[in-house]
Amino acid sequence: MYQVVPGGAGGTITDVIPKQKHSKDTRPLVGAGVIGLVLVIAAVTAWCYYIASLRKAELLKTQMLDLNKDGYIIRNQGGSIVFRMDFRSGTLDLDSCTKEGELLSCGSTTDRKLNFFIETVRPKDTVQCYRVRWEELVPDIPVEHAMTYKFAHWYGGAVSAIQHWPISISGQHAPKPFVTSDIYSNRNEFGGILESYWLSSNATAIKINNSVPFHLGWNDTEKTMYFQARYNDSPFKPNPGEAPCAELSYRVCVGLDVTSIHKYMTRRYFNKPNKVPAKVMFRHPIWSTWALHKTDIDQEKLLTYAANIRKHGFNCSHLELDDRYTSRYGEFEFDVLKFPNASAMFQKLKSNGFLVSLWIHPFVNYDSENFHSCVDRGLFVREPTGRLPALVRWWNGIGGILDFTNPEARDWFSYQLRSLRSRYGVSSFKFDAGETNYLPWKFSTRTPIRDPSFFTRRYTEMAIPYNDRAELRSGYQSQNISCFFRPTDRDSVWGYELGLKSLIPTVLTISILGYQFILPDMIGGNAYLNRTDGNRALPDRELYIRWLELSAFMPSMQFSVPPWEYDNEVVEIARKYTALHESIVAPRVLELAGEVLDTGDPIIRPLWWIATGDETAYKIDSQFLIGDDLMVAPVLEPGKQERDIYLPAGRWRSYKGERFDIKEPLHLTDYPVDLDEIAYFLWV
């Protein structure tokens, strides 16, 4: 309350006090008054600055996000920090920042103009999202943000040669192009299936916009991942006529738990399949000629292989005739020396109940009869000026690579595949390669593409007419191609580097990236001599059996090295698990496959899917779920006939008939699992 004092400013003074002359004794009082006045002014000034700072601090908050000049943090609804991003390409000038509603924008760093904003979006009550964009206005300046990953476990991104679940980062690497690559021949690169999406155990997800010239780096000492946008020294290109001004834009979303936030992100950002592949692909194994015969395949060997499948009592979804049935790469006629009567061979196989798919690739070698006609018609990817076709090296030689942005090249390739189908009754194709590392570093295409991985997308589209039984090994924004994806060749070894232990982390990773129809490669690996345990050309026997058992619980099984190459016991184990796959696994997988069309949810799921607050479940990479009610725990170590198993809370029944009704997670230590067994548990 204010009190009115008579005679205040502007009032009438009724009592006049005559002036008196100050004595020397009053001068100290005057000095003290001056000092007091100065202190009052200083205090008022400090208070004003404090109020201004509070207003600025309030200005730089939006919902649960706090922005400062060097980056921002995001909190969850409980107030805990769940996400931190630092700016490495400049320091924001906070005086250039304004806030209008849920949009917080800044116009400059401390040394240059830019466009920066963070917009809060609340798509549903349980999800809070933030749209972030940093756009440079000067050409050739990279934009780089550094995400701290120490707050949680992270998943997603890309397949890799050494695959871990959750992501395990080691060493330091400057940002490099985040594009598809063949990790069998380039083991330090990103894999052939990738999406710029990451998910964390603390219910935070980040999706980089597809328009970003995205480069990814990391530093395990700082516990950071570097998200960079740039055009200089990069295969990414701006749109024709645009200046190479980099823009880093992405969305960060925070939810209540890891499963629900992933479901939201999948529905919002990923393509979904529009059909389920042929049901027989889920029920019966594929039999490939590759690991058994490599390029030394011919008509007699293929017919013998098929006869042995029937002789030993196995089913077959289709035979896969791999490399090399033509005389040269880039031709589409059977080599008459190796296949003297291909038409009769196909008729015989069909009469015996076998469908056949063929290995195919995007290359035309320079010694092929088709090479010169493709050059004359301009069907190849070209060098940067666009005047000459680019020669590329791949694992089977040197040649051109078809430009799938060119409608003429697509039509020519499609015609060759249709001709094989109509002439021989080919059921489908195994589409090999498609990764961007087989493109020149600088290249041009008929239709300009900003992102090299869009070439991968264009190649995968060639499989659409055959997607009932088609197989792809590369994918980028390709979830809606609706066929099986095989995450590159595996070596016949036990470990995490393209070995048996890499299978579950790899399958979980591509499932999180939206690819649910998964072919986990050939049982036992590819049996390359330099990548095989032991001195035999065959994979190690124990490794083969454990690989077989694990594959039986995957969406599809694929043999190449047949079980009868070992002994009768291995044949019996193979019969047991192909039957188990058909009777127990395939029906569940097919039911879930139908749901994928609507939800995009994984068929093969991590344990945290049903145990969202369980710290141990976040780290388990040797167990998985099929749906929510079948948990699988294979043996992945040599010489072991037992393993530790982690059971989430719930009511479970083991394959042995044991029942576990547990309200808390349970560790089963040294649980016995014989060589011909795989541990699995059903939700009761």
Side-chain angles (χ1 to χ4, degrees), residues 504-539:
I504 296 174
T506 299
V507 170
L508 290 175
T509 295
I510 64 175
S511 294
I512 288 298
L513 299 179
Y515 297 87
Q516 311 306 346
F517 307 139
I518 301 168
L519 185 62
D521 203 35
M522 300 165 199
I523 292 167
N526 283 258
Y528 299 127
L529 282 175
N530 63 330
R531 298 283 181 179
T532 304
D533 284 0
N535 297 321
R536 302 180 64 198
L538 296 177

Side-chain angles (χ1 to χ4, degrees), residues 57 60-68 71-75:
L60 300 181
K61 287 179 180 288
T62 173
Q63 298 296 332
M64 301 294 182
L65 183 146
D66 296 347
L67 175 69
N68 62 58
Y72 62 89
I73 60 172
I74 298 175
R75 304 177 189 275

Side-chain angles (χ1 to χ4, degrees), residues 284-576:
H284 297 159
I286 301 165
W287 295 79
S288 169
T289 63
W290 174 247
L292 181 63
H293 292 296
K294 305 297 191 293
T295 59
D296 189 26
I297 185 65
D298 58 32
Q299 182 170 323
E300 181 181 356
K301 289 177 180 176
L302 181 62
L303 291 172
T304 301
Y305 190 50
N308 280 329
I309 293 171
R310 289 288 182 254
K311 174 184 174 182
H312 290 91
F314 289 96
N315 289 319
C316 174
S317 65
H318 64 255
L319 282 173
E320 195 169 78
L321 177 54
D322 213 293
D323 186 10
R324 158 175 190 180
Y325 56 89
T326 62
S327 58
R328 293 181 178 86
Y329 296 106
E331 296 177 1
F332 297 85
E333 291 294 334
F334 279 83
D335 182 343
V336 295
L337 296 178
K338 301 175 74 175
F339 297 85
N341 195 339
S343 295
M345 179 188 74
F346 273 90
Q347 289 174 4
K348 181 174 178 59
L349 289 169
K350 183 178 180 180
S351 67
N352 291 332
F354 288 98
L355 297 177
V356 181
S357 68
L358 296 179
W359 175 76
I360 206 72
H361 55 82
F363 307 102
V364 180
N365 278 10
Y366 70 88
D367 60 350
S368 164
E369 291 182 359
N370 289 322
F371 182 80
H372 292 292
S373 64
C374 288
V375 170
D376 292 340
R377 296 175 63 181
L379 304 186
F380 292 142
V381 171
R382 305 176 81 80
E383 46 79 43
T385 68
R387 293 192 294 268
L388 296 172
L391 288 179
V392 299
R393 182 182 296 275
W394 63 298
W395 67 90
N396 277 329
I398 297 174
I401 183 168
L402 292 167
D403 177 4
F404 293 103
T405 75
N406 181 349
E408 286 186 62
R410 294 165 69 90
D411 290 345
W412 181 84
F413 190 69
S414 294
Y415 171 78
Q416 305 299 334
L417 303 189
R418 289 196 305 270
S419 296
L420 286 168
R421 169 174 270 188
S422 62
R423 184 171 179 181
Y424 300 108
V426 172
S427 65
S428 191
F429 298 92
K430 171 186 176 179
F431 291 81
D432 215 349
E435 300 93 348
T436 65
N437 66 292
Y438 294 111
L439 297 170
W441 177 252
K442 297 289 186 180
F443 64 92
S444 63
T445 51
R446 174 67 65 86
T447 302
I449 55 177
R450 298 179 58 176
D451 182 347
S453 293
F454 193 68
F455 176 87
T456 298
R457 164 68 196 190
R458 282 291 185 224
Y459 177 58
T460 62
E461 290 170 358
M462 304 308 297
I464 292 175
Y466 311 98
N467 58 11
D468 260 4
R469 297 172 181 268
E471 172 189 328
L472 285 159
R473 83 168 195 192
S474 57
Y476 175 66
Q477 302 176 35
S478 303
Q479 298 91 342
N480 60 350
I481 301 300
S482 307
C483 70
F484 274 89
F485 285 83
R486 176 183 64 90
T488 206
D489 294 2
R490 302 283 126 178
D491 286 325
S492 299
V493 295
W494 289 90
Y496 285 103
E497 184 173 348
L498 296 179
L500 177 60
K501 283 186 178 179
S502 72
L503 274 184
I504 296 174
T506 299
V507 170
L508 290 175
T509 295
I510 64 175
S511 294
I512 288 298
L513 299 179
Y515 297 87
Q516 311 306 346
F517 307 139
I518 301 168
L519 185 62
D521 203 35
M522 300 165 199
I523 292 167
N526 283 258
Y528 299 127
L529 282 175
N530 63 330
R531 298 283 181 179
T532 304
D533 284 0
N535 297 321
R536 302 180 64 198
L538 296 177
D540 173 76
R541 182 180 184 273
E542 182 187 6
L543 172 71
Y544 184 88
I545 292 171
R546 292 306 191 188
W547 207 305
L548 165 62
E549 293 163 353
L550 172 55
S551 293
F553 287 85
M554 290 291 163
S556 185
M557 299 181 71
Q558 185 178 39
F559 285 99
S560 184
V561 173
W564 54 85
E565 287 289 314
Y566 295 93
D567 51 50
N568 288 335
E569 183 185 11
V570 176
V571 172
E572 287 303 318
I573 293 172
R575 287 179 182 145
K576 170 184 175 180

